[in-house]
Coordinates of all heavy atoms in Angstrom, one line a residue:
N2 N -16.6 -33.9 0.5 CA -15.8 -33.0 -0.5 C -14.4 -33.1 -0.2 O -14.0 -33.0 0.9 CB -16.4 -31.6 -0.5 CG -15.8 -30.8 -1.6 OD1 -14.7 -30.4 -1.6 ND2 -16.8 -30.5 -2.5
L26 N 5.8 -29.6 -4.7 CA 4.7 -29.0 -5.1 C 5.0 -27.7 -6.0 O 4.4 -27.5 -7.1 CB 3.7 -28.4 -3.9 CG 2.5 -27.5 -4.3 CD1 1.6 -28.3 -5.1 CD2 2.0 -27.0 -3.1
E33 N 6.7 -27.8 -14.1 CA 5.8 -28.5 -15.0 C 4.8 -27.9 -15.6 O 4.4 -28.0 -16.8 CB 5.5 -29.8 -14.3 CG 6.7 -30.8 -13.9 CD 6.3 -32.0 -13.1 OE1 5.1 -32.0 -12.6 OE2 7.0 -32.9 -13.1
G39 N 15.4 -22.6 -12.9 CA 16.4 -21.9 -12.1 C 17.6 -22.6 -11.8 O 17.6 -23.8 -12.1
E49 N 11.7 -27.7 -6.9 CA 12.0 -26.4 -7.2 C 12.5 -25.7 -6.0 O 11.8 -25.5 -4.9 CB 10.7 -25.6 -7.7 CG 10.9 -24.4 -8.4 CD 11.1 -23.2 -7.5 OE1 10.2 -23.0 -6.6 OE2 12.1 -22.5 -7.5
R67 N -3.0 -37.6 2.3 CA -1.9 -37.8 1.4 C -0.7 -38.4 2.1 O -0.5 -38.3 3.3 CB -1.6 -36.6 0.5 CG -2.8 -36.2 -0.3 CD -2.3 -35.1 -1.4 NE -3.2 -34.8 -2.3 CZ -2.9 -34.1 -3.4 NH1 -1.7 -33.8 -3.7 NH2 -3.9 -33.7 -4.3
A71 N 5.8 -40.0 0.4 CA 5.8 -39.8 -1.0 C 6.0 -38.3 -1.3 O 6.0 -37.9 -2.5 CB 4.6 -40.5 -1.6
H74 N 2.0 -34.6 0.5 CA 1.1 -34.1 1.6 C 0.9 -32.7 1.5 O -0.1 -32.2 2.1 CB 1.4 -34.7 2.9 CG 2.8 -34.2 3.5 ND1 4.0 -34.5 2.8 CD2 3.1 -33.5 4.5 CE1 5.0 -34.0 3.5 NE2 4.5 -33.4 4.6
G77 N -0.6 -26.9 -0.5 CA -0.5 -25.3 -0.7 C 0.8 -24.9 0.1 O 1.1 -25.5 1.1
D85 N 13.3 -8.3 9.2 CA 14.5 -8.5 10.0 C 15.3 -9.7 9.5 O 16.6 -9.6 9.6 CB 14.0 -8.6 11.5 CG 13.1 -9.8 11.8 OD1 12.4 -10.1 10.8 OD2 13.2 -10.3 12.9
P110 N 7.5 -2.4 9.6 CA 7.8 -3.9 9.7 C 7.2 -4.4 8.3 O 6.1 -4.2 7.9 CB 7.0 -4.4 10.8 CG 6.9 -3.2 11.7 CD 6.8 -2.0 10.9
G115 N 6.1 -15.0 -1.1 CA 6.6 -15.6 -2.3 C 6.3 -17.0 -2.5 O 5.9 -17.7 -1.7
H123 N -6.9 -28.6 -5.4 CA -7.5 -27.8 -4.3 C -7.7 -26.4 -4.6 O -8.0 -25.6 -3.7 CB -6.6 -28.0 -3.1 CG -6.6 -29.4 -2.5 ND1 -7.6 -30.0 -1.8 CD2 -5.5 -30.3 -2.5 CE1 -7.3 -31.2 -1.5 NE2 -6.0 -31.5 -1.9
L148 N 2.8 -5.9 3.5 CA 3.0 -7.2 2.9 C 3.3 -6.9 1.4 O 2.7 -6.0 0.9 CB 1.8 -8.0 3.0 CG 1.4 -8.5 4.5 CD1 0.5 -7.4 5.1 CD2 0.5 -9.8 4.4
V151 N 6.0 -10.4 -5.6 CA 5.7 -10.4 -7.0 C 4.7 -11.4 -7.3 O 4.7 -12.5 -6.7 CB 6.9 -10.6 -7.9 CG1 7.9 -9.3 -7.7 CG2 7.7 -11.8 -7.6
A152 N 3.7 -11.0 -8.1 CA 2.7 -12.0 -8.6 C 2.9 -12.1 -10.2 O 3.3 -11.1 -10.7 CB 1.3 -11.6 -8.3
F154 N 2.1 -13.2 -14.2 CA 1.3 -13.6 -15.3 C 2.1 -14.6 -16.2 O 3.3 -14.5 -16.3 CB 1.0 -12.5 -16.3 CG 0.1 -11.5 -15.8 CD1 0.5 -10.4 -14.9 CD2 -1.3 -11.4 -16.1 CE1 -0.3 -9.4 -14.3 CE2 -2.2 -10.5 -15.6 CZ -1.7 -9.5 -14.8
S167 N -2.4 -2.7 -17.9 CA -2.8 -1.3 -17.9 C -3.9 -1.0 -16.9 O -3.8 0.0 -16.3 CB -3.5 -1.0 -19.3 OG -2.5 -1.2 -20.4
W168 N -4.7 -1.9 -16.6 CA -5.7 -1.8 -15.6 C -5.0 -1.6 -14.2 O -5.4 -0.7 -13.4 CB -6.7 -2.9 -15.5 CG -7.8 -2.7 -14.6 CD1 -7.8 -3.1 -13.1 CD2 -9.0 -2.0 -14.8 NE1 -9.0 -2.6 -12.6 CE2 -9.8 -1.9 -13.5 CE3 -9.7 -1.4 -15.9 CZ2 -11.1 -1.4 -13.4 CZ3 -10.9 -0.9 -15.8 CH2 -11.6 -0.9 -14.6
H171 N -3.3 1.9 -14.0 CA -4.2 3.1 -14.0 C -5.1 3.1 -12.8 O -5.6 4.2 -12.4 CB -5.1 3.1 -15.3 CG -4.3 3.4 -16.5 ND1 -3.5 4.5 -16.7 CD2 -4.3 2.8 -17.7 CE1 -2.9 4.6 -17.9 NE2 -3.4 3.5 -18.5
R180 N 6.3 3.4 -3.5 CA 6.3 2.7 -4.7 C 7.6 2.1 -5.4 O 8.4 2.9 -5.9 CB 5.6 3.5 -5.9 CG 5.3 3.0 -7.2 CD 4.9 3.9 -8.2 NE 3.8 4.7 -7.8 CZ 3.4 5.9 -8.3 NH1 4.1 6.3 -9.4 NH2 2.4 6.6 -7.9
A210 N -5.9 -15.3 -10.5 CA -6.7 -15.3 -9.4 C -6.0 -14.7 -8.1 O -6.6 -14.1 -7.3 CB -7.2 -16.7 -9.0
M221 N -1.9 -2.8 -4.0 CA -1.5 -1.9 -4.9 C -0.3 -2.3 -5.6 O 0.4 -3.3 -5.2 CB -1.0 -0.6 -4.1 CG -2.2 -0.1 -3.3 SD -1.7 1.3 -2.2 CE -0.8 0.5 -0.9
V222 N 0.1 -1.8 -6.7 CA 1.2 -2.2 -7.5 C 2.3 -1.3 -7.7 O 2.2 -0.1 -7.5 CB 0.8 -2.7 -9.0 CG1 -0.3 -3.7 -8.9 CG2 0.2 -1.5 -9.8
D229 N 10.5 -11.9 -16.4 CA 11.4 -13.1 -15.8 C 11.4 -14.1 -16.8 O 10.5 -15.0 -16.9 CB 10.8 -13.4 -14.5 CG 11.6 -14.5 -13.8 OD1 12.6 -14.9 -14.4 OD2 11.4 -14.7 -12.6
T235 N 5.7 -12.8 -16.5 CA 5.7 -11.4 -16.4 C 5.2 -11.0 -15.0 O 4.1 -11.3 -14.6 CB 4.8 -10.7 -17.4 OG1 5.3 -11.0 -18.7 CG2 4.8 -9.1 -17.2
R257 N -9.9 -14.1 13.7 CA -9.3 -15.4 13.5 C -10.4 -16.4 13.4 O -11.1 -16.8 14.2 CB -8.5 -15.8 14.8 CG -7.1 -15.1 14.8 CD -6.4 -15.4 16.1 NE -5.0 -15.2 16.0 CZ -4.4 -14.0 16.3 NH1 -5.2 -13.0 16.7 NH2 -3.2 -13.8 16.3

Side-chain angles (χ1 to χ4, degrees):
N2 189 291
L26 173 63
E33 294 179 341
E49 193 281 304
R67 295 195 176 194
H74 62 297
D85 56 333
H123 293 291
L148 298 80
V151 294
F154 290 85
S167 299
W168 185 270
H171 293 305
R180 188 187 305 163
M221 303 173 286
V222 300
D229 186 347
T235 298
R257 282 177 163 84

